[in-house]
Amino acid sequence: MSVATGRSYLAIPGPSVLPERVLNAMHRAAPNIYEGALIDMTQGLVRDLKHLAGTRHEVAIYVANGHAAWEAAVSNVLAPGDRVLVLATGVFASDWGAMATAIGAQVEVMDFGKRAPIDATQVAKRLEQDPSHQIKAVMCVHVDTGTSVRNDIPALRAALDGAGHPALLMVDCIASMGCEEYRMDDWGVDITVTASQKGLMTPPGLGFVWFNQKAAQRRQAMAQVSRYWDWAPRTAPRIFSHYWNGTAPTHHLFALREALDMIAEEGLNAVWRRHEILARTYWAACEAWQMPGGIALNIADPNARSHAVTALSCAPPDASRLRAWCQTHTGVTLGIGLGMADEAEPAWHGHFRIGHMGHLNAHMVMGVIGVIDAGLKALAIPHGRGATEAASASLASELS
Ligand SMILES: *Cc1c(COP(=O)(O)O)cnc(C)c1O
């Protein structure tokens, strides 16, 4: 017997829930790409995207997913032979580093494991050992979507400054943009990368690279940059098609316009705060479920946990059983584990993730918590009691 009929909920860490408003914004005939609404709208998109990332500098938009935005970022500032320092806190920074390797950069990985954020002190020490400034860029993620760790970007900036090191600071905000507080200019980030399908509530297919003056100068000094990824014409377009290096991603742009309007109506600070409150609601439930040999939060320190995604582990194959149960019986889809494979089992048998990015509110979160709680009971998966009570108490205290 299933009680899944009704509105289903894809609670994975991207793509995230598409708001009706965003879906409806795309429901229109193909627009003219030479004049009219699309052209009139684009400058406003650029302005609002800069506001979103907290920068007054530049943003290039690509018809691309996150991996492509990664490649765009490295292609503009790294030449074959350049050294880069990749700060790994899960799979995503290393995968970004692999993009740099593929274009000929010399990648050095500092690995902080899968359960902790970047240790800025160690980074400072490493940079101090590079007095001739061979390292051209430091690359990391703000939130690692696999481990659900959130890195302290201002601390990293302080590490670079403390070491007096001029490397570019490049940050992947694909999981965190529009979910977590982020202030590119105030935090001294040189390059920020994101994609449309997570906090930005837009279908996968748009990639964004924000860059400041220092990064632009690096681009200018490059002997060559791939024509398609080159951000220079995209940010100083003489004609509309230069923004996109070809046909505009028409319907994605209407979707993005609506999503940015929704963020503006709620207010960016309120959006961040909502994600924080809802993340705390999840953590309260997860902390109640935790028990030795059973469910465990991947990141123990709440200050290092993402507000956009939560990674959990349990004895394999209980994660797969739970996900299957939730999907079949309740219409809730949870995320598989990603990059946590340190056992022989497929990673996801002992790991799962809950996405809480973008278009979500308290009843969606309380619903997922109730469903997981029921699944743990139905499947006799070892877990602590009182999760729904703890979650509602957390929510009540945050909102009172
Ligand atoms: C989702 C994600 C990516 C990859 O984005 P794609 O659109 O799947 O290529 C990269 N980094 C982080 C932190 C992500 O969350």
Side-chain angles (χ1 to χ4, degrees):
M1 179 61 200
S2 162
V3 289
T5 303
R7 183 163 294 190
S8 58
Y9 179 12
L10 185 66
I12 68 173
S16 65
V17 171
L18 290 171
E20 295 295 323
R21 279 178 62 178
V22 170
L23 284 169
N24 289 336
M26 288 187 285
H27 194 93
R28 64 174 77 207
N32 190 349
I33 57 165
Y34 302 108
E35 57 187 19
L38 200 68
I39 286 81
D40 299 342
M41 182 173 78
T42 298
Q43 279 190 348
L45 288 176
V46 167
R47 178 197 62 220
D48 293 351
L49 285 166
K50 290 180 187 178
H51 172 72
L52 182 74
T55 184
R56 54 186 180 79
H57 299 289
E58 303 294 339
V59 60
I61 311 175
Y62 296 88
V63 185
N65 67 9
H67 279 71
W70 274 349
E71 181 148 325
V74 296
S75 299
N76 275 281
V77 291
L78 297 179
D82 281 351
R83 291 195 71 88
V84 272
L85 185 62
V86 168
L87 310 176
T89 49
V91 282
F92 285 94
S94 321
D95 285 357
W96 193 13
M99 292 271 175
T101 304
I103 61 163
Q106 304 273 336
V107 174
E108 174 182 335
V109 179
M110 279 181 92
D111 195 343
F112 297 90
K114 294 171 179 171
R115 297 185 193 281
I118 293 165
D119 177 350
T121 317
Q122 284 187 46
V123 177
K125 281 202 188 110
R126 175 64 191 90
L127 293 174
E128 280 159 15
Q129 292 160 5
D130 180 35
S132 61
H133 301 155
Q134 294 303 302
I135 297 170
K136 299 299 175 209
V138 173
M139 295 165 59
C140 68
V141 295
H142 186 203
V143 163
D144 185 287
T145 325
T147 60
S148 72
V149 78
R150 186 185 57 212
N151 288 309
D152 183 344
I153 303 302
L156 199 54
R157 176 76 261 167
L160 271 99
D161 291 348
H165 202 292
L168 292 174
L169 178 56
M170 302 175 64
V171 181
D172 166 346
C173 293
I174 298 176
S176 57
M177 188 63 74
C179 306
E180 314 261 7
E181 180 181 2
Y182 188 75
R183 304 179 190 279
M184 176 167 164
D185 290 355
D186 291 353
W187 293 359
V189 176
D190 299 304
I191 295 178
T192 301
V193 173
T194 201
S196 52
Q197 76 272 26
K198 300 189 183 181
L200 301 190
M201 308 176 287
T202 297
L206 293 179
F208 309 95
V209 179
W210 291 261
F211 58 94
N212 66 9
Q213 209 53 44
K214 184 171 162 183
Q217 280 160 6
R218 183 72 61 82
R219 155 69 192 85
Q220 287 311 322
M222 293 277 286
Q224 59 190 47
V225 171
S226 133
R227 182 71 187 81
Y228 188 77
W229 297 130
D230 193 353
W231 65 35
R234 289 171 185 264
T235 49
R238 278 181 293 102
I239 56 172
F240 184 66
S241 69
H242 289 174
Y243 276 115
W244 328 103
N245 209 331
T247 303
T250 52
H251 288 66
H252 274 76
L253 296 179
F254 290 111
L256 179 66
R257 179 64 271 161
E258 195 67 27
L260 292 173
D261 284 347
M262 289 174 68
I263 290 171
E265 286 162 23
E266 185 176 355
L268 193 51
N269 287 308
V271 170
W272 293 337
R273 180 76 181 120
R274 171 168 54 83
H275 280 83
E276 180 182 5
I277 290 170
L278 297 177
R280 288 184 188 284
T281 308
Y282 271 126
W283 302 343
C286 295
E287 279 159 10
W289 285 324
Q290 290 200 101
M291 62 185 296
I295 307 271
L297 277 154
N298 192 51
I299 303 299
D301 176 4
N303 292 319
R305 287 183 200 149
S306 165
H307 296 160
V309 53
T310 297
L312 296 134
S313 59
C314 55
D318 285 347
S320 295
R321 294 171 66 222
L322 179 66
R323 282 190 307 99
W325 188 91
C326 291
Q327 168 119 5
T328 312
H329 294 283
T330 76
V332 169
T333 305
L334 301 172
I336 60 168
L338 206 62
M340 296 298 296
D342 40 25
E343 66 263 69
E345 304 270 352
W348 50 85
H349 279 357
H351 302 275
F352 66 102
R353 292 173 301 156
I354 309 166
H356 34 98
M357 43 181 59
H359 192 55
L360 82 164
N361 60 20
H363 82 73
M364 295 163 81
V365 170
M366 292 303 286
V368 172
I369 290 169
V371 154
I372 293 175
D373 200 62
L376 295 172
K377 289 181 170 64
L379 299 169
I381 294 172
H383 66 283
R385 304 282 148 158
T388 51
E389 176 65 25
S392 79
S394 167
L395 187 60
S397 87
E398 295 282 352
L399 296 179
S400 57

